[in-house]
Amino acid sequence: MDTSVNTFFVSEKISKIRWLPGDLQANERFLTGTWDMPANFVRLWRLQQNQYADDYNEFVPRCSDKQDFNGDITGLEFVDTDLAAVSCADGRLTILQVNRAVDEDSLEEKAQSEILHKFNASGDSAPCTGISVYERDIATVGEDGYLNVVDANDVHKVRRSIEADSIALTAVKYVNPHEVLTANRMGVIRMFDIRAAVDETAVTAFMTSCEEEKRSNYVSALTSHPTQPHIVLAGSEEGSITVWDLRQPGFPASYLSAHNSAITEIGFHHREPSKLYTASEGGELWLWMQQSTMNITTMENKTSENVNPWLNGERAKNRINVTCLISNLRKSINTFDASGSKIICGSDSEAIYVIDSVY
């Protein structure tokens, strides 16, 4: 695989990074969110041709606008092509509008919610730890253990609020319009039906695997397969990946050892579901690519060739190739996003990495 990595130091720790939808051909515009800085921002960037072209950087990102926030950016997802939902450690949700232009793009705050997450004992705001978007619906989770659902058209009104857990929640993921997964610091994942009903009991619950049975292994990241959403993958504190089939959630379908440190983000390529990416606190970015069934020769594999390889248990290791795209950064890669043949990453090294020609 012939890839090139371009590095751009931006003097900010990047917690979230996302390509703008609709730029699938040009791959020009993206948003970043910061954390652990004296002042935190969401910035709008645009890749431009490097007029001082050298052997390392064919293009450079230029910041065209920014919006300031009162805390760390903990979630960043697009509702539509130009509307982004941003969660913050101050417990609020903000909707940003991207105004595209030929010369100078801009950001505009469309709406900001009241504090969505609060600690019951003190009444103080609790950090919102993650968001997930399904069409116009936005699900948020926080350190207060609550799952909230709001409409992007009116973030001031909470459509559904569920006390999902008694401890801090670490991740959230829509699997269909009516069901949302939440994960906590004990490694427990719960699924809730968010349709208007009184019952707040989880539909089902299951737990991440761990190499050490007596040790907790908290869920650090969640994702689902883009074309088979019943396949759910969880990245963990120990760096492993646990896979479930929600049609039979009683036990994991697969468990794979991966990084030597916590997985910070996990996600499939939006248009190429055979590709999965994982980033870790150890400064690594890996590509997991499904092998072609044309290479399958044994009778055992022929009988299961139509089964998604992520559900093949121990055999999954033989049907998925792993490639290290970035390693040895010494500081965490917190976030990434893939579009076309390009991947962008943000890290605690206060840099943005653009990887090109990933096929």
Side-chain angles (χ1 to χ4, degrees):
M1 182 180 294
D2 185 17
T3 62
S4 62
V5 180
N6 296 268
T7 305
F8 310 100
F9 291 98
V10 295
S11 301
E12 292 178 340
K13 293 181 181 180
I14 306 298
S15 60
K16 295 296 174 184
I17 194 165
R18 295 291 182 264
W19 289 111
L20 264 67
D23 279 355
L24 297 179
Q25 298 299 321
N27 293 340
E28 291 181 345
R29 298 175 175 89
F30 60 93
L31 293 180
T32 60
T34 67
W35 84 289
D36 195 31
M37 302 297 295
N40 287 290
F41 302 96
V42 167
R43 292 183 183 269
L44 173 60
W45 303 82
R46 191 170 184 175
L47 288 178
Q48 297 182 336
Q49 198 71 30
N50 186 1
Q51 59 180 330
Y52 305 105
D54 51 44
D55 293 336
Y56 302 101
N57 298 320
E58 299 177 7
F59 40 79
V60 293
R62 177 177 175 271
C63 177
S64 55
D65 202 3
K66 66 181 181 180
Q67 287 283 328
D68 61 315
F69 283 79
N70 293 326
D72 299 338
I73 304 302
T74 59
L76 176 58
E77 302 294 341
F78 277 90
V79 178
D80 59 28
T81 54
D82 294 310
L83 211 61
V86 183
S87 63
C88 183
D90 65 0
R92 290 182 168 89
L93 179 71
T94 302
I95 303 297
L96 294 181
Q97 172 80 43
V98 178
N99 300 310
R100 308 189 194 206
V102 175
D103 297 323
E104 197 77 3
D105 302 327
S106 63
L107 283 173
E108 177 187 355
E109 182 180 306
K110 298 295 290 184
Q112 186 176 74
S113 73
E114 303 299 324
I115 297 175
L116 295 175
H117 297 276
K118 294 181 180 181
F119 293 111
N120 289 331
S122 63
D124 295 334
S125 64
C128 178
T129 54
I131 61 174
S132 182
V133 173
Y134 194 98
E135 295 181 349
R136 307 294 294 185
D137 292 338
I138 305 168
T140 75
V141 292
E143 289 190 4
D144 59 345
Y146 273 80
L147 164 66
N148 293 317
V149 178
V150 300
D151 190 320
N153 296 321
D154 185 7
V155 297
H156 299 287
K157 183 179 180 181
V158 178
R159 202 182 77 204
R160 188 77 195 276
S161 184
I162 299 173
E163 188 175 1
D165 218 308
S166 59
I167 60 175
L169 296 172
T170 56
V172 59
K173 181 64 180 178
Y174 267 101
V175 291
N176 59 54
H178 307 303
E179 293 176 318
V180 177
L181 297 174
T182 65
N184 70 14
R185 290 196 174 275
M186 296 300 292
V188 178
I189 298 173
R190 293 183 171 88
M191 184 163 67
F192 293 90
D193 188 331
I194 59 170
R195 285 172 289 191
V198 177
D199 188 13
E200 295 186 356
T201 306
V203 175
T204 187
F206 39 95
M207 196 162 188
T208 52
S209 300
C210 186
E211 289 185 1
E212 299 179 26
E213 292 184 0
K214 296 182 179 180
R215 181 171 173 263
S216 65
N217 186 26
Y218 77 79
V219 177
S220 52
L222 271 178
T223 194
S224 61
H225 194 278
T227 61
Q228 301 178 58
H230 58 272
I231 300 174
V232 172
L233 290 79
S236 71
E237 174 188 17
E238 70 173 6
S240 61
I241 298 173
T242 307
V243 186
W244 289 271
D245 184 343
L246 292 182
R247 298 170 300 183
Q248 299 174 329
F251 53 90
S254 302
Y255 169 83
L256 297 96
S257 297
H259 302 271
N260 293 322
S261 56
I263 292 175
T264 52
E265 193 158 274
I266 182 171
F268 287 90
H269 193 289
H270 302 302
R271 296 297 181 96
E272 301 177 51
S274 63
K275 295 178 180 178
L276 176 83
Y277 300 93
T278 56
S280 77
E281 287 184 355
E284 297 174 323
L285 179 70
W286 289 5
L287 165 62
W288 306 67
M289 186 178 296
Q290 176 182 339
Q291 293 182 18
S292 171
T293 54
M294 295 294 289
N295 298 325
I296 298 172
T297 58
T298 67
M299 183 61 69
E300 178 187 20
N301 283 334
K302 281 183 179 179
T303 60
S304 61
E305 63 182 1
N306 293 324
V307 176
N308 190 294
W310 292 103
L311 301 179
N312 275 349
E314 285 296 317
R315 293 192 298 275
K317 300 175 183 177
N318 301 320
R319 297 188 61 188
I320 297 171
N321 293 325
V322 182
T323 303
C324 182
L325 300 177
I326 298 179
S327 63
N328 301 321
L329 284 189
R330 299 184 181 180
K331 291 196 174 182
S332 175
I333 295 180
N334 300 317
T335 181
F336 62 84
D337 197 19
S339 179
S341 64
K342 286 189 176 70
I343 304 171
I344 46 175
C345 306
S347 79
D348 281 352
S349 60
E350 301 187 2
I352 295 171
Y353 301 91
V354 181
I355 308 173
D356 199 7
S357 302
V358 180
Y359 296 104

